[in-house]
Amino acid sequence: GGYGGGGGGGGGYNPQDKVPSDNQIFVQGLPLDVNEDDISQFFGSIGVIKMDKKTGKNKIFIYTDRNTGQPKGEATVTYDDPSAAQSAIQWFNAKDFNGQQIKVSMAMIRAPPAGGFGGGRGRGGGGRGGGGFGGGRGGGGYGGRDR
């Protein structure tokens, strides 16, 4: 039971259900005063940035610090076309954006449900992890035997 509990650690795979996106890029090192328009003009020069149908705006997300709400100089940009995203990385990585050198890479996204086996296994792992707690309680059983 105890060992089974250890195996439950497999549930830890869940956070790694991330795969590189094919059309979304992750940008680091942006000036902190940058806004979506600046980003869309800069990165839109290499390809069409995807529109968010809900908002009618480009799919650009600027990361902010959870505690302060201040921008962190990081953003994701989603292109219509995967080849545009690849080009953007080759073209813009280590380039100058308003005087700051930026780093551009593929964004890591949650694996889509279509790759569901991975996700399923991860969740199964979580279940086994739960078994791990059972294992812990089982440990209490050993205590009982000690008495």
Side-chain angles (χ1 to χ4, degrees):
Y3 291 119
Y13 285 120
N14 276 346
Q16 288 168 352
D17 278 349
K18 291 209 164 198
V19 294
S21 171
D22 60 355
N23 64 340
Q24 187 180 70
I25 58 170
F26 178 58
V27 189
Q28 295 161 281
L30 289 162
L32 297 186
D33 58 358
V34 74
N35 61 33
E36 274 109 349
D37 287 344
D38 298 332
I39 292 176
S40 120
Q41 280 177 8
F42 189 84
F43 287 97
S45 64
I46 197 132
V48 179
I49 296 174
K50 209 181 186 80
M51 292 296 275
D52 188 327
K53 293 192 178 69
K54 285 192 212 112
T55 63
K57 287 175 117 158
N58 289 332
K59 289 194 88 151
I60 293 170
F61 180 78
I62 298 175
Y63 288 88
T64 51
D65 185 294
R66 261 185 220 136
N67 303 320
T68 64
Q70 295 299 307
K72 287 165 61 171
E74 296 176 352
T76 56
V77 179
T78 307
Y79 285 97
D80 258 347
D81 181 8
S83 64
Q86 297 289 345
S87 305
I89 291 173
Q90 288 163 9
W91 188 254
F92 293 125
N93 186 39
K95 283 280 191 306
D96 196 72
F97 184 117
N98 294 2
Q100 302 222 158
Q101 194 185 32
I102 56 171
K103 180 169 185 273
V104 185
S105 54
M106 264 332 205
M108 296 302 283
I109 54 167
R110 280 207 189 92
F117 289 126
R121 264 205 304 283
R123 275 194 292 285
R128 276 199 298 285
F133 293 121
R137 277 200 296 283
Y142 294 123
R145 265 208 292 286
D146 282 348
R147 285 206 231 42

